[in-house]
Amino acid sequence: MIMRENEKKSQLSIKDISRLSGVSIATLSRFFNGQSVRPSNEVIIRKVLQETGYRPSIAARFIKGHNSGVIGLIVPEITHPFFAMIAEGVMREARNLGKLVLLGSSEGSMEIEKQIIDRFSQSILDGLIYIPVAKAENIPALKSFRDLPLVVTARKGIIPGVPHVYHDGEGGGYLATKHLVSLGRRRIAFVASFWDIPCSNTELLANHLKPSMYSFSSIERYKGYLKALEEAGIPYDPNLVVITGYGHKHGVDAASVLKGRFVDCNGVVTMTQAVANGFTAQAKRLGYRVPEDISVVLFDTNESKADYTFTYIELHLIKMGQESVRTLSELIEGREAQDTCLDVELRIRETSVKLPPETSR
Amino acid sequence: MIMRENEKKSQLSIKDISRLSGVSIATLSRFFNGQSVRPSNEVIIRKVLQETGYRPSIAARFIKGHNSGVIGLIVPEITHPFFAMIAEGVMREARNLGKLVLLGSSEGSMEIEKQIIDRFSQSILDGLIYIPVAKAENIPALKSFRDLPLVVTARKGIIPGVPHVYHDGEGGGYLATKHLVSLGRRRIAFVASFWDIPCSNTELLANHLKPSMYSFSSIERYKGYLKALEEAGIPYDPNLVVITGYGHKHGVDAASVLKGRFVDCNGVVTMTQAVANGFTAQAKRLGYRVPEDISVVLFDTNESKADYTFTYIELHLIKMGQESVRTLSELIEGREAQDTCLDVELRIRETSVKLPPETSR
DNA sequence: TTGTATGCGTTATCAT
DNA sequence: ATGATAACGCATACAA
């Protein structure tokens, strides 16, 4: 029905422009690279460009050791809103800087990730923004990066000597917990999310400073949680810590687990929207009122989403993507770059209120 | 043996391999392109490749008129789950075929979209998968595509002579409506979502076949809605049609609008999850029971999402992305390609039940 | 400032 | 089957 021949790619070259304009290819090349040419020539060149719509071939200029203007972005999963937000930021800033973005999704698999890195490094990239799959150790095939400028995003301390861009997880955990404390709540649960469960809730306090835990975002926030508790003189209770996953059902489980431990709790910090939803739904089923009996704070980004009812720690993910591109650009230009830690902010909504006096203990 | 590879951007070339292996560059090139070489040579080549990790430069082969193995993907917004799912499918299939994906997000703006198309066509793309921003007419700068193989995705009949990949919207509207009818419901509302409101609800029946409405997904589904009503002998009532947007609050509005029109309704079809959520919440506030008084069916994709309670028409968006890449590959290889219409499926969950006898009219 | 000539990493054409 | 060489589109050293 629909036919389409593979017509000749009539990509005109600099020689064609030279022929049409009467200007040598060298002068044309200089013109394209911003060097000054004779005004009379410039007029002619612009005219021919207007007529032909010619653009220099990126591939050819890349061969000559120039930048291609293409940067790579590797995410674990583009369908996850968290990574999609970062990708959006990356693309916005890339567009500002006139760069293009080659995207790879590792589908949560380290094997695929390695394969993508391999293909990327063989491609015409100027640099790479890399969001590793969760596991910290055993970053795949670092040699595959060759000498590509590299930025690690959304994780902390993964690859030595490489700039990382991440948000202030400890500060976020601190803000969230302190907010609940300020509402008169002192029995505050912490629901930590992991892709792979690293240890049990009773072991977390002892293990959380180990190097192997370094890159987990939940751990960073946990540090802030501890700090806020200590500051308020609230004793740490491992029974208030739940270790689970990232999904809706994990939030449901978390509420059940707390109930099963017979610990009373009047505040909770969760890592994601989905977990908070599950937790809240289950808490209500178990007879608690939210936010009166239990106030909920979560971590999320909120770019122009309406109807947001949860109190949350706002992560600036779009900015994180933008900052990553900016950092990578520094590297590509040959300058040095360092880690960037983005601030987080507390946004108070409907799921956290002052503890009613009668419920107080 | 002097190893001086770890010095700088020592991107080794085919000449280096030639020098290291003693085989001419021509033979090497043939080897890389799958032609047969002398077995003794093949052994040596493989050995040197193993040691060096050399890969041919994509840029250089692209100059010679070859395929770069890079395809472009333009989406309105990568943070929107709908497009993220398609992107995920695109990248999976691209990975299968050994291709890379250059991603552009038009941020819902036709201007940015035009800019991206411009930059893409100047790049080293073999082809382009294009999800236009909603408006049908006035597709920007078709000439900018040059002779790039092109596939339009998620929309129908946008660019003549170009293959489109979309899902069966009419079939989906038909399935959704017929399902509600089969539950004994005959007062079925249709909540249509648009980015730009094209006309009022009373004008929709008269206008829905006009060419300017051709590419709206809501219109396709509306056709199926009409078909199912007619088949069941249910008279069409424009008061049961609401025209609104895509957000949560639009669902809230829709429920209020229906209430304000004093029409009774015991079933509703919405275009998205967000609208369904808003509609349901508001309907409950207005005193209706869901699903007993009002059953709800929506359109969505559901790739491994747990905890899904809504009855929905499942759109296979990942498959849509994969199919787009497959179609584009045909074009790139110089073969013909035609439109692809993907099936949809009814998934019955908790928001649609048989109409209780006492409420029947 | 301009043009000529050479080189970049690869493929294609030709003789061997 | 193999190897020398001419292209490809562009950048640049060098001479003018």
Side-chain angles (χ1 to χ4, degrees):
Chain A
M1 180 178 172
I2 292 178
M3 318 252 296
R4 181 151 192 334
E5 298 297 327
N6 196 8
E7 299 158 20
K8 275 194 293 183
K9 285 185 180 172
S10 59
Q11 193 78 320
L12 38 159
S13 83
I14 197 171
K15 283 182 185 167
D16 299 314
I17 308 301
S18 171
R19 190 168 36 78
L20 289 172
S21 64
V23 182
S24 78
I25 62 170
T27 302
L28 287 171
S29 176
R30 284 184 213 108
F31 173 77
F32 294 130
N33 292 32
Q35 298 184 36
S36 62
V37 296
R38 192 182 309 161
S40 63
N41 272 339
E42 182 168 340
V43 174
I44 298 179
I45 294 175
R46 287 196 188 283
K47 182 174 170 237
V48 175
L49 286 190
Q50 186 72 22
E51 291 169 352
T52 58
Y54 162 84
R55 297 299 190 87
S57 152
I58 289 187
R61 82 165 19 191
F62 186 71
I63 284 191
K64 296 296 296 182
H66 257 57
N67 290 341
S68 63
V70 180
I71 61 177
L73 170 64
I74 297 182
V75 300
E77 205 187 351
I78 193 59
T79 55
H80 194 300
F82 185 88
F83 301 122
M85 281 290 175
I86 297 177
E88 180 76 28
V90 166
M91 297 207 308
R92 279 194 202 166
E93 189 62 19
R95 196 171 58 76
N96 279 342
L97 272 52
K99 296 180 187 295
L100 300 173
V101 177
L102 203 58
L103 178 68
S105 170
S106 50
E107 300 175 32
S109 146
M110 293 185 61
E111 262 184 74
I112 296 180
E113 184 178 89
K114 176 167 174 3
Q115 187 185 10
I116 292 178
I117 293 175
D118 223 50
R119 292 213 186 130
F120 269 28
S121 62
Q122 164 200 1
S123 183
I124 58 163
L125 294 182
D126 291 341
L128 179 64
I129 296 173
Y130 176 39
I131 307 179
V133 291
K135 297 128 194 166
E137 62 265 358
N138 194 6
I139 288 293
L142 265 178
K143 286 110 191 174
S144 291
F145 289 125
R146 298 178 187 257
D147 297 306
L148 219 52
L150 178 67
V151 170
V152 172
T153 295
R155 311 221 184 274
K156 190 176 167 183
I158 296 269
I159 305 178
V162 167
H164 292 61
V165 179
Y166 48 87
H167 65 256
D168 182 11
E170 182 172 346
Y174 176 77
L175 276 181
T177 311
K178 189 178 174 186
H179 170 62
L180 290 170
V181 170
S182 77
L183 296 173
R185 301 172 187 274
R186 299 177 65 84
R187 300 289 302 166
I188 300 168
F190 186 87
V191 180
S193 293
F194 298 89
W195 297 102
D196 291 323
I197 305 298
C199 67
S200 75
N201 65 309
T202 54
E203 300 161 341
L204 194 56
L205 183 63
N207 290 338
H208 81 279
L209 290 177
K210 287 189 181 173
S212 63
M213 307 289 270
Y214 194 56
S215 64
F216 291 114
S217 58
S218 284
I219 295 295
E220 290 296 310
R221 298 167 187 177
Y222 177 72
K223 287 183 194 167
Y225 167 76
L226 293 178
K227 184 178 165 195
L229 289 186
E230 186 183 351
E231 217 174 85
I234 302 175
Y236 174 75
D237 180 358
N239 283 323
L240 281 169
V241 175
V242 181
I243 294 188
T244 185
Y246 281 96
H248 182 278
K249 68 170 180 178
H250 298 112
V252 173
D253 291 348
S256 301
V257 164
L258 284 177
K259 176 81 172 180
R261 287 183 193 156
F262 299 104
V263 295
D264 59 331
C265 130
N266 50 28
V268 63
V269 180
T270 75
M271 302 297 107
T272 74
Q273 173 77 66
V275 171
N277 276 331
F279 187 97
T280 304
Q282 182 68 359
K284 285 181 176 170
R285 274 183 226 120
L286 294 173
Y288 297 98
R289 292 172 301 166
V290 175
E292 297 84 352
D293 298 334
I294 303 181
S295 282
V296 180
V297 181
L298 56 89
F299 286 76
D300 202 356
T301 186
N302 183 24
E303 305 286 342
S304 76
K305 271 188 219 158
D307 321 302
Y308 213 85
T309 61
F310 279 86
T311 293
Y312 65 103
I313 301 294
E314 179 165 4
L315 313 176
H316 300 108
L317 297 182
I318 294 215
K319 194 174 174 189
M320 182 179 285
Q322 294 172 319
E323 206 55 50
S324 301
V325 175
R326 225 168 284 136
T327 302
L328 183 59
S329 296
E330 294 294 312
L331 258 44
I332 292 175
E333 310 268 336
R335 291 191 289 275
E336 296 182 3
Q338 35 194 331
D339 284 9
T340 302
C341 180
L342 296 168
D343 282 341
V344 297
E345 283 163 84
L346 172 67
R347 304 289 184 194
I348 302 173
R349 295 292 181 267
E350 302 170 20
T351 59
S352 62
V353 298
K354 213 164 179 53
L355 190 64
E358 68 271 22
T359 322
S360 182
R361 49 194 303 272
Chain B
M1 294 287 269
I2 298 177
M3 313 267 288
R4 52 170 173 172
E5 32 194 350
N6 281 340
E7 288 188 347
K8 281 188 176 180
K9 273 195 176 180
S10 62
Q11 196 78 319
L12 36 151
S13 82
I14 197 170
K15 284 182 184 167
D16 299 313
I17 307 301
S18 172
R19 189 169 38 76
L20 289 171
S21 64
V23 182
S24 78
I25 61 170
T27 302
L28 286 170
S29 176
R30 283 190 284 263
F31 172 77
F32 294 132
N33 291 34
Q35 298 185 36
S36 64
V37 296
R38 192 180 330 183
S40 63
N41 272 339
E42 181 169 341
V43 173
I44 298 178
I45 294 175
R46 286 197 189 281
K47 182 175 169 235
V48 175
L49 287 190
Q50 186 72 20
E51 291 169 354
T52 58
Y54 161 84
R55 297 296 191 89
S57 152
I58 289 187
R61 82 164 22 187
F62 186 71
I63 283 190
K64 293 299 294 182
H66 264 58
N67 288 340
S68 64
V70 180
I71 61 176
L73 171 63
I74 298 181
V75 300
E77 205 188 351
I78 194 59
T79 55
H80 195 300
F82 185 88
F83 302 122
M85 280 289 175
I86 297 177
E88 179 76 28
V90 166
M91 297 208 307
R92 279 193 203 167
E93 188 63 20
R95 198 170 59 75
N96 279 342
L97 274 51
K99 296 178 185 298
L100 299 174
V101 177
L102 203 59
L103 178 67
S105 169
S106 50
E107 300 175 32
S109 147
M110 293 185 60
E111 264 183 73
I112 296 180
E113 183 178 89
K114 175 166 174 5
Q115 188 184 6
I116 292 177
I117 292 175
D118 223 49
R119 292 213 185 130
F120 269 28
S121 63
Q122 164 202 358
S123 184
I124 59 164
L125 294 182
D126 292 339
L128 179 63
I129 296 173
Y130 176 39
I131 307 180
V133 291
K135 299 125 194 169
E137 60 265 357
N138 195 6
I139 288 294
L142 264 178
K143 284 111 192 173
S144 290
F145 289 124
R146 299 177 185 257
D147 296 310
L148 219 52
L150 178 67
V151 170
V152 172
T153 295
R155 311 222 185 274
K156 190 175 166 183
I158 296 270
I159 305 178
V162 166
H164 292 60
V165 179
Y166 48 86
H167 65 255
D168 181 11
E170 181 173 344
Y174 175 77
L175 276 180
T177 311
K178 189 178 172 186
H179 169 63
L180 290 170
V181 170
S182 77
L183 296 172
R185 301 172 187 276
R186 298 177 66 85
R187 300 289 302 166
I188 300 168
F190 187 88
V191 180
S193 293
F194 298 89
W195 297 101
D196 291 322
I197 306 297
C199 67
S200 76
N201 65 308
T202 54
E203 300 161 341
L204 194 56
L205 184 63
N207 289 339
H208 81 280
L209 291 178
K210 288 188 180 173
S212 64
M213 307 289 271
Y214 193 57
S215 65
F216 291 114
S217 57
S218 284
I219 295 296
E220 290 296 310
R221 298 166 187 178
Y222 177 73
K223 286 184 195 167
Y225 168 76
L226 293 179
K227 184 177 163 196
L229 289 186
E230 186 183 350
E231 218 174 84
I234 301 174
Y236 175 75
D237 180 358
N239 282 324
L240 282 169
V241 175
V242 180
I243 293 187
T244 184
Y246 281 96
H248 182 278
K249 69 170 180 180
H250 298 112
V252 173
D253 291 347
S256 301
V257 164
L258 284 176
K259 177 82 172 181
R261 288 185 194 153
F262 300 103
V263 295
D264 59 332
C265 129
N266 50 27
V268 63
V269 179
T270 76
M271 302 297 107
T272 74
Q273 172 78 68
V275 171
N277 276 331
F279 187 96
T280 305
Q282 183 68 359
K284 286 180 176 173
R285 273 183 226 120
L286 294 174
Y288 296 98
R289 292 172 302 166
V290 174
E292 296 84 353
D293 297 334
I294 303 180
S295 282
V296 179
V297 181
L298 57 87
F299 285 76
D300 201 356
T301 186
N302 182 25
E303 304 286 343
S304 75
K305 271 189 218 156
D307 321 303
Y308 213 85
T309 61
F310 278 87
T311 294
Y312 65 102
I313 300 294
E314 179 164 3
L315 313 175
H316 300 109
L317 296 182
I318 294 211
K319 193 173 174 188
M320 181 179 284
Q322 293 172 320
E323 205 56 49
S324 301
V325 175
R326 224 167 286 139
T327 302
L328 183 59
S329 295
E330 295 294 310
L331 258 43
I332 292 175
E333 310 270 334
R335 289 192 290 274
E336 307 175 0
Q338 35 193 327
D339 283 10
T340 301
C341 179
L342 296 168
D343 282 342
V344 297
E345 283 163 83
L346 172 68
R347 304 288 184 194
I348 302 173
R349 294 292 181 268
E350 303 170 20
T351 58
S352 63
V353 297
K354 211 160 180 54
L355 189 66
E358 67 270 25
T359 322
S360 184
R361 52 196 299 275

